[in-house]
């Protein structure tokens, strides 16, 4: 199993550009989520999904869109990139049997917005 | 609102010395508590969770509901323990994790 995969590993954008960060998992996990990691702030939840066709906002959703058309994929879209979105982005997934399930993280995407 | 506080950004200890990472939380109810670790060039992974009451790699964490704390401890630190450690919580019927700011641990020889 590849686990949770993310592409690209690194990306540079100009202000105003749009892009999609890809996330995929092959563990048949129902729950998937996106976090951003910023120094001194830990990881903050952007959006999450409890299954195909179901998404919801996390703590910092502004400027990001998500969709979940399949169980495996959970892409994160930046609509119009801003320097404040410079960060490291992590995708995570877990089973949905109960709370307290281990969440499995991808390797991260480092994004720089100029 | 739920919140996780890790007061130490950096922690430096000598090999063989005890290490304690502090974590305090704010939650109206009974949360699930976790410690996640990120070693250099590796992805974030679960270290331990309070419901399991387990010891992983020599680390233990005790939930103190009175003090709303979940401190991580290891009696004898090893160089391979150098990493970033995150305390996290989720609600009992929830899957979303709230993370603290993280503590970078450096174990010196």
């Amino acid at each position: 199993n590849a686990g949770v995969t993310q592409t690209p590993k690194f990306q540079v954008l100009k202000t105003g550009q749009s892009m999609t960060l890809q996330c995929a998992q092959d563990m048949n996990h129902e729950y998937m989520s996106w976090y951003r990691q910023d120094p001194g702030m830990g990881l903050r939840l952007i959006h999450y999904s409890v299954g195909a066709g179901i998404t919801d906002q996390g703590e910092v959703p502004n400027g990001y869109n998500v969709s979940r058309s399949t169980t495996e994929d959970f892409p994160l879209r930046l609509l119009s990139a801003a320097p404040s979105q410079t960060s490291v982005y992590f995708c995570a997934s877990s089973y949905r049997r109960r709370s307290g399930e281990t969440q499995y993280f991808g390797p991260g995407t480092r994004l720089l917005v100029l | 609102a739920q919140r996780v506080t890790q007061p130490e950004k950096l922690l430096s200890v000598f090999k063989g010395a005890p290490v304690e990472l502090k974590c305090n939380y704010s939650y109206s109810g009974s949360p699930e508590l976790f410690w996640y670790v990120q070693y250099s060039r590796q992805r974030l992974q679960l270290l331990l969770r309070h419901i399991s009451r387990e010891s992983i790699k020599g680390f233990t964490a005790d939930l103190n509901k009175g003090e709303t704390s979940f401190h991580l401890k290891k009696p004898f630190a090893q160089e391979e323990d150098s990493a970033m450690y995150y305390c996290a919580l989720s609600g009992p019927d929830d899957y979303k994790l709230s993370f603290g700011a993280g503590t970078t641990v450096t174990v010196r020889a």
Side-chain angles (χ1 to χ4, degrees), chain A residues 4 37 96 99-100 103 105, chain B residues 36 43 49 86 92 94-95:
Chain A
V4 180
Q37 181 187 42
R96 199 190 151 190
S99 59
Q103 293 206 18
F105 284 80
Chain B
Y36 278 80
R43 59 185 70 190
R49 58 188 136 191
Y86 289 100
D94 202 352
Y95 309 94

Side-chain angles (χ1 to χ4, degrees), chain A residues 23-102:
Chain A
C23 173
Q25 52 89 13
D26 60 0
M27 298 174 281
N28 204 30
H29 286 166
E30 301 94 335
Y31 181 76
M32 296 186 74
S33 55
W34 277 101
Y35 294 88
R36 57 178 291 172
Q37 181 187 42
D38 300 292
M41 303 189 76
L43 281 78
R44 291 179 293 169
L45 183 65
I46 304 172
H47 284 285
Y48 65 97
S49 168
V50 297
I54 306 169
T55 63
D56 207 344
Q57 296 181 348
E59 182 185 353
V60 288
N62 291 343
Y64 308 94
N65 270 0
V66 292
S67 60
R68 184 95 179 269
S69 57
T70 67
T71 299
E72 294 77 20
D73 300 297
F74 191 44
L76 179 72
R77 297 183 187 84
L78 279 70
L79 309 173
S80 177
S84 60
Q85 293 178 304
T86 293
S87 186
V88 181
Y89 291 85
F90 289 99
C91 179
S93 72
S94 73
Y95 288 111
R96 199 190 151 190
R97 287 187 292 251
R98 59 178 177 84
S99 59
E101 287 284 354
T102 299

Side-chain angles (χ1 to χ4, degrees), chain B residues 60-99:
Chain B
T60 58
D62 292 321
L63 176 61
N64 186 322
K65 292 184 178 181
E67 295 183 357
T68 59
S69 67
F70 188 56
H71 303 327
L72 184 68
K73 301 175 185 178
K74 184 170 183 177
F76 308 103
Q78 303 299 314
E79 289 180 75
E80 55 265 29
D81 297 327
S82 295
M84 171 75 91
Y85 292 80
Y86 289 100
C87 184
L89 74 77
S90 69
D93 298 311
D94 202 352
Y95 309 94
K96 304 189 295 290
L97 285 174
S98 294
F99 285 87

